[in-house]
Amino acid sequence: MLKNNPIKNIEHIARYSLAALFCLTLAACGKNNESELAQKTLLYCSEGSPETFNPQLVTSGTTIDAVSQQIYNRLVKINPKTGLVTSDLAQKVIVSEDAMRYRFYLRKDVEFHTTAYFKPTRTLTSEDVLFSFSRILHLDHPFNLVGGGSYPFFSGMGFDTLIEQIIVVDDLTIEFRLSEPQASFLANMATDFAVILSAEYAQQLIESDEKELIDQLPIGTGPFKFSQYKRDHYIRYYAHPNYWDGAPLLRQVIFDITPNNSNRVAKLLTRECDVLGYPSSADVEFLKQKPDIKLNESVAMNVSYWAFNTNVPPFDNPNVRKALSYVVDRQAIIDAVYFRHAEPASTLLPPSSWAYTEANTDVELSLEKAKALLLQEGFEDGFEMDIWAMPVQRVYNPNASKMAEILQQNLAKIGVTANIVTYDWGTFRKKLAQGEHDSVLIGWSADNSDPDNFYRPLLSCAATFSGSNRTAWCNEQYDESIFNALSTADPVVRKQYYDQAERLIFENSPLVPIAHALRYQVHHNYISDVEFNPYGGIGFFQTKKGKN
């Protein structure tokens, strides 16, 4: 059995002030030691607890921010400045002429984390890559069902049918063979979900009959290694001193989990936090006025939307869904929810995407058209429905409850009574995955720059079963359009297919795009080089902390 389990042990520790956390595990903690460690400790105020410590199992941005860039690497990654795929654990990739074979050449001497619960005896090999993806792809794999057996991003992207075979060529060379060419394959391999795990650690857990710990006590190759976690309170990471790209400048990173936005801002101002993720739009202008605070702004590669559960009457009727789409007052929402730090969305794709086409469809606010359609479908007296509102702030939707209230007011004007429903974040995600909602206000942030990253995870038939399609809408014509777009590398042809997909979304209205939000991240001016990636989670590998 594993000894000194940090997750279990930490539950017996009383709630510490964050200052006390600096020295929690030092053998001696005098003032000099505390001061030195504090100067190399970064405190990040996050909005929620991670669901797991394995990004393969989720699509939640809260989990991705907390876990992916800290603990793990991928074979390839997205350059945040260019949006292009670049090397990570694979220093080189060779693609066959038919675009159906991808050979990855791994870096030498990449070390896995050494922790209290695992001490590796070897460096990264192709066997680790094979294990990481075989777990996802093969139902008979010993770890496939561990953690629930659901891999929503990969299921939504159809990896189980796309990847025909994975071949270990030698210790540092591995080849992926596809069933068909797919233009977005490398971009999807660069997402924060496609992390590389340790096959040696997995074998240790098999031998100790503790396979579930692979997702709770994580081992990766990333710049920081897991130390401690207390749910709804904090996560502690230590620097990985033998990181292949050089040791981090920080000694430790602490995620201070603070769901309430006002409390997060207060902690930032009192320097209990060095970095704040996802400030509310209402706080952006206030924080801009603070001379010791730096606010970073990122291009909006996201969308917020109102999704209807098409399995539940009357939302199985496209004309009813279309009627409800006419009550969305985008400008009122942008003013009240985003404080004008967003732009109205008429399509899933934001204008910054190369495949964006300005909608030539009717997305106006029109209560008259809404009433006429409901009358046509036999709902002249309206009906009662639920709008689920996320309890957490995300970049794409900083205040779902406020957004729901605006919709509720307009729905009342057409005779529809809307109940606003919310739960704690864990319960909300669970019930949403079980399809208990009538409708939900939610959204999506891009994992890479390929437009496929919006279309397949949100509305494909495969994503209905994986859980990222919150509408349960499955349309063969839509699937045909987005898969045709993947069959060619010609951007002009691909764009034509995506235009077809957008027309189908408009005609069927499984969801209503609402806004594309700007993304903000805030930190004190003594912090520099926070990786603020428009396509993924936040990272602190190159972050520096000066005197505060």
Side-chain angles (χ1 to χ4, degrees):
M1 298 292 288
L2 299 181
K3 302 296 179 67
N4 192 28
N5 182 328
I7 284 185
K8 294 176 181 175
N9 290 346
I10 200 68
E11 297 300 335
H12 300 293
I13 298 175
R15 174 68 169 144
Y16 283 84
S17 70
L18 289 174
L21 279 174
F22 289 143
C23 296
L24 190 60
T25 58
L26 290 180
C29 195
K31 289 185 178 180
N32 290 338
N33 284 341
E34 181 175 349
S35 176
E36 179 185 353
L37 186 57
Q39 286 301 319
K40 290 186 177 288
T41 295
L42 184 133
L43 298 172
Y44 175 75
C45 270
S46 67
E47 78 283 5
S49 296
E51 302 159 74
T52 174
F53 282 88
N54 181 358
Q56 296 174 334
L57 303 175
V58 297
T59 55
S60 162
T62 302
T63 299
I64 294 302
D65 283 349
V67 175
S68 191
Q69 297 289 332
Q70 323 318 325
I71 300 174
Y72 300 102
N73 292 109
R74 289 134 294 281
L75 290 174
V76 287
K77 63 183 181 180
I78 300 289
N79 183 315
K81 295 180 180 178
T82 66
L84 300 176
V85 176
T86 187
S87 61
D88 200 21
L89 290 179
Q91 58 184 349
K92 182 173 66 172
V93 184
I94 294 180
V95 185
S96 64
E97 288 186 8
D98 61 3
M100 291 178 63
R101 288 180 293 142
Y102 290 74
R103 182 166 288 194
F104 296 86
Y105 295 85
L106 305 181
R107 299 180 186 278
K108 295 180 180 179
D109 302 323
V110 174
E111 294 192 18
F112 282 97
H113 300 153
T114 296
T115 67
Y117 51 88
F118 177 67
K119 293 178 172 53
T121 64
R122 61 167 178 80
T123 55
L124 173 79
T125 73
S126 299
E127 292 296 332
D128 300 301
V129 180
L130 178 65
F131 167 79
S132 300
F133 287 94
S134 295
R135 172 188 180 176
I136 296 166
L137 297 171
H138 303 309
L139 297 177
D140 59 351
H141 191 277
F143 281 84
N144 180 266
L145 295 178
V146 174
S150 176
Y151 304 89
F153 176 80
F154 301 97
S155 298
M157 291 300 181
F159 265 47
D160 54 340
T161 56
L162 175 66
I163 298 177
E164 195 168 76
Q165 193 176 11
I166 305 176
I167 299 172
V168 172
V169 179
D170 58 40
D171 279 354
L172 294 175
T173 311
I174 190 163
E175 183 172 291
F176 286 68
R177 295 188 176 180
L178 309 187
S179 58
E180 59 185 4
Q182 189 171 101
S184 65
F185 176 68
L186 268 186
N188 288 329
M189 292 290 282
T191 62
D192 283 329
F193 311 106
V195 297
I196 304 304
L197 312 176
S198 166
E200 184 185 14
Y201 178 46
Q203 184 57 41
Q204 175 179 305
L205 294 177
I206 289 174
E207 293 170 2
S208 63
D209 194 25
E210 294 178 299
K211 290 188 292 186
E212 71 283 355
L213 294 185
I214 197 168
D215 304 320
Q216 301 171 20
L217 300 178
I219 293 293
T221 59
F224 296 94
K225 56 185 179 178
F226 176 85
S227 174
Q228 293 160 326
Y229 170 51
K230 183 171 178 62
R231 183 175 178 84
D232 297 330
H233 290 295
Y234 62 85
I235 311 165
R236 180 209 290 275
Y237 296 115
Y238 285 138
H240 178 21
N242 298 321
Y243 184 51
W244 61 268
D245 202 19
L249 300 176
L250 297 167
R251 284 179 60 182
Q252 64 176 336
V253 173
I254 296 172
F255 277 62
D256 179 14
I257 300 167
T258 309
N260 182 275
N261 181 73
S262 298
N263 290 345
R264 291 201 304 276
V265 172
K267 286 183 176 183
L268 179 78
L269 296 177
T270 58
R271 299 198 177 189
E272 291 180 74
C273 286
D274 302 308
V275 182
L276 170 65
Y278 310 109
S280 74
S281 300
D283 291 322
V284 167
E285 294 303 322
F286 167 72
L287 292 170
K288 280 182 178 178
Q289 307 307 314
K290 299 294 179 181
D292 58 339
I293 298 293
K294 184 173 181 180
L295 189 143
N296 296 325
E297 178 181 299
S298 175
V299 176
M301 283 298 290
N302 59 60
V303 64
S304 67
Y305 57 87
W306 187 19
F308 305 110
N309 186 346
T310 61
N311 281 336
V312 177
F315 311 106
D316 55 347
N317 183 330
N319 280 337
V320 171
R321 302 194 299 263
K322 175 62 68 179
L324 299 187
S325 76
Y326 285 122
V327 309
V328 178
D329 188 341
R330 291 172 175 80
Q331 194 55 55
I333 288 172
I334 286 171
D335 290 344
V337 176
Y338 297 92
F339 292 85
R340 301 183 183 179
H341 297 290
E343 52 190 31
S346 57
T347 68
L348 277 186
L349 286 184
S352 50
S353 171
W354 62 262
Y356 172 78
T357 297
E358 186 174 356
N360 55 9
T361 48
D362 180 7
V363 293
E364 66 180 304
L365 168 67
S366 176
L367 300 184
E368 291 73 22
K369 288 183 178 181
K371 289 178 182 178
L373 273 174
L374 289 184
L375 178 63
Q376 174 185 312
E377 299 303 313
F379 292 100
E380 61 273 9
D381 296 324
F383 54 86
E384 187 172 351
M385 65 175 293
D386 292 340
I387 302 175
W388 286 27
M390 293 188 307
V392 297
Q393 294 169 323
R394 299 302 299 162
V395 60
Y396 50 72
N397 193 331
N399 191 337
S401 293
K402 181 65 176 178
M403 190 181 291
E405 290 171 7
I406 295 172
L407 292 175
Q408 183 186 52
Q409 292 166 9
N410 277 354
L411 286 168
K413 295 174 184 177
I414 63 168
V416 175
T417 301
N419 306 306
I420 299 173
V421 176
T422 193
Y423 302 94
D424 68 87
W425 190 216
T427 303
F428 187 92
R429 290 191 304 255
K430 181 179 179 181
K431 287 180 172 290
L432 188 63
Q434 293 170 346
E436 297 182 22
H437 59 294
D438 287 343
S439 70
V440 61
L441 289 169
I442 200 161
W444 183 258
S445 292
D447 308 301
N448 59 59
S449 56
D450 196 288
D452 178 62
N453 195 252
F454 283 87
Y455 289 109
R456 268 202 294 170
L458 298 187
L459 284 174
S460 70
C461 292
T464 297
F465 302 106
S466 68
S468 59
N469 180 348
R470 304 303 186 183
T471 72
W473 180 68
C474 176
N475 184 287
E476 291 183 4
Q477 287 180 285
Y478 176 85
D479 267 20
E480 183 179 359
S481 295
I482 62 175
F483 281 103
N484 283 339
L486 291 172
S487 66
T488 175
D490 186 334
V492 174
V493 177
R494 292 188 73 195
K495 190 172 185 295
Q496 291 171 350
Y497 285 123
Y498 290 132
D499 288 345
Q500 291 176 10
E502 284 289 354
R503 282 195 293 274
L504 288 165
I505 295 170
F506 173 77
E507 291 167 4
N508 292 272
S509 299
L511 56 75
V512 184
I514 296 176
H516 303 294
L518 294 176
R519 182 181 179 185
Y520 294 96
Q521 175 262 314
V522 185
H523 57 77
H524 283 281
N525 56 14
Y526 53 79
I527 299 291
S528 60
D529 297 325
V530 175
E531 186 173 319
F532 186 44
N533 192 337
Y535 307 108
I538 192 167
F540 303 109
F541 164 50
Q542 296 180 316
T543 300
K544 305 182 187 71
K545 182 176 181 181
K547 290 187 179 294
N548 58 349

